[in-house]
PDB file of all heavy atoms in Angstrom:
ATOM      1  N   PHE A  66      20.437  40.533  44.570  1.00 62.00           N
ATOM      2  CA  PHE A  66      21.792  40.290  45.096  1.00 62.00           C
ATOM      3  C   PHE A  66      22.478  41.627  45.272  1.00 62.00           C
ATOM      4  O   PHE A  66      22.958  42.226  44.321  1.00 62.00           O
ATOM      5  CB  PHE A  66      22.602  39.406  44.132  1.00 62.00           C
ATOM      6  CG  PHE A  66      21.883  38.147  43.764  1.00 62.00           C
ATOM      7  CD1 PHE A  66      21.596  37.858  42.443  1.00 62.00           C
ATOM      8  CD2 PHE A  66      21.490  37.252  44.749  1.00 62.00           C
ATOM      9  CE1 PHE A  66      20.955  36.702  42.108  1.00 62.00           C
ATOM     10  CE2 PHE A  66      20.831  36.088  44.407  1.00 62.00           C
ATOM     11  CZ  PHE A  66      20.565  35.816  43.096  1.00 62.00           C
ATOM     12  N   ARG A 106      11.421  29.033  40.053  1.00 83.00           N
ATOM     13  CA  ARG A 106      10.159  29.670  40.405  1.00 83.00           C
ATOM     14  C   ARG A 106       9.447  28.941  41.544  1.00 83.00           C
ATOM     15  O   ARG A 106       8.990  29.541  42.505  1.00 83.00           O
ATOM     16  CB  ARG A 106       9.278  29.700  39.171  1.00 83.00           C
ATOM     17  CG  ARG A 106       7.903  30.262  39.442  1.00 83.00           C
ATOM     18  CD  ARG A 106       7.140  30.381  38.164  1.00 83.00           C
ATOM     19  NE  ARG A 106       5.750  30.698  38.456  1.00 83.00           N
ATOM     20  CZ  ARG A 106       4.852  30.916  37.535  1.00 83.00           C
ATOM     21  NH1 ARG A 106       5.205  30.863  36.265  1.00 83.00           N
ATOM     22  NH2 ARG A 106       3.612  31.192  37.864  1.00 83.00           N
ATOM     23  N   THR A 157     -11.722  15.285   1.757  1.00 94.00           N
ATOM     24  CA  THR A 157     -10.461  15.938   1.397  1.00 94.00           C
ATOM     25  C   THR A 157     -10.554  17.440   1.627  1.00 94.00           C
ATOM     26  O   THR A 157      -9.627  18.057   2.159  1.00 94.00           O
ATOM     27  CB  THR A 157     -10.096  15.647  -0.073  1.00 94.00           C
ATOM     28  OG1 THR A 157     -10.137  14.247  -0.279  1.00 94.00           O
ATOM     29  CG2 THR A 157      -8.719  16.150  -0.411  1.00 94.00           C
ATOM     30  N   ASP A 245      -0.825  -4.670  -9.437  1.00 92.00           N
ATOM     31  CA  ASP A 245      -1.275  -5.932 -10.030  1.00 92.00           C
ATOM     32  C   ASP A 245      -1.812  -6.915  -8.991  1.00 92.00           C
ATOM     33  O   ASP A 245      -2.707  -7.692  -9.286  1.00 92.00           O
ATOM     34  CB  ASP A 245      -0.113  -6.604 -10.781  1.00 92.00           C
ATOM     35  CG  ASP A 245       0.272  -5.819 -12.022  1.00 92.00           C
ATOM     36  OD1 ASP A 245      -0.551  -5.009 -12.470  1.00 92.00           O
ATOM     37  OD2 ASP A 245       1.385  -6.022 -12.531  1.00 92.00           O
ATOM     38  N   ALA A 250      -6.118 -10.412  -6.499  1.00 95.00           N
ATOM     39  CA  ALA A 250      -7.073 -10.605  -5.408  1.00 95.00           C
ATOM     40  C   ALA A 250      -8.502 -10.588  -5.927  1.00 95.00           C
ATOM     41  O   ALA A 250      -9.339 -11.387  -5.521  1.00 95.00           O
ATOM     42  CB  ALA A 250      -6.875  -9.519  -4.349  1.00 95.00           C
ATOM     43  N   ARG A 251      -8.781  -9.675  -6.874  1.00 94.00           N
ATOM     44  CA  ARG A 251     -10.124  -9.612  -7.460  1.00 94.00           C
ATOM     45  C   ARG A 251     -10.417 -10.870  -8.260  1.00 94.00           C
ATOM     46  O   ARG A 251     -11.512 -11.417  -8.178  1.00 94.00           O
ATOM     47  CB  ARG A 251     -10.226  -8.401  -8.399  1.00 94.00           C
ATOM     48  CG  ARG A 251     -10.821  -7.238  -7.710  1.00 94.00           C
ATOM     49  CD  ARG A 251     -11.066  -6.066  -8.626  1.00 94.00           C
ATOM     50  NE  ARG A 251     -10.898  -4.894  -7.797  1.00 94.00           N
ATOM     51  CZ  ARG A 251      -9.850  -4.105  -7.836  1.00 94.00           C
ATOM     52  NH1 ARG A 251      -8.892  -4.319  -8.711  1.00 94.00           N
ATOM     53  NH2 ARG A 251      -9.760  -3.104  -7.008  1.00 94.00           N
ATOM     54  N   ALA A 307       7.526  28.638  32.267  1.00 88.00           N
ATOM     55  CA  ALA A 307       8.960  28.706  32.547  1.00 88.00           C
ATOM     56  C   ALA A 307       9.641  29.724  31.640  1.00 88.00           C
ATOM     57  O   ALA A 307      10.601  30.376  32.039  1.00 88.00           O
ATOM     58  CB  ALA A 307       9.597  27.336  32.366  1.00 88.00           C
ATOM     59  N   ASN A 331       9.144   7.560  17.794  1.00 87.00           N
ATOM     60  CA  ASN A 331       9.712   7.186  16.504  1.00 87.00           C
ATOM     61  C   ASN A 331      10.231   5.756  16.504  1.00 87.00           C
ATOM     62  O   ASN A 331      10.075   5.024  15.531  1.00 87.00           O
ATOM     63  CB  ASN A 331      10.858   8.131  16.143  1.00 87.00           C
ATOM     64  CG  ASN A 331      10.377   9.284  15.294  1.00 87.00           C
ATOM     65  OD1 ASN A 331       9.980   9.079  14.168  1.00 87.00           O
ATOM     66  ND2 ASN A 331      10.383  10.468  15.857  1.00 87.00           N
TER      67      ASN A 331
END
Side-chain angles (χ1 to χ4, degrees):
Chain A
F66 308 121
R106 176 175 170 177
T157 308
D245 291 341
R251 264 186 212 105
N331 267 293

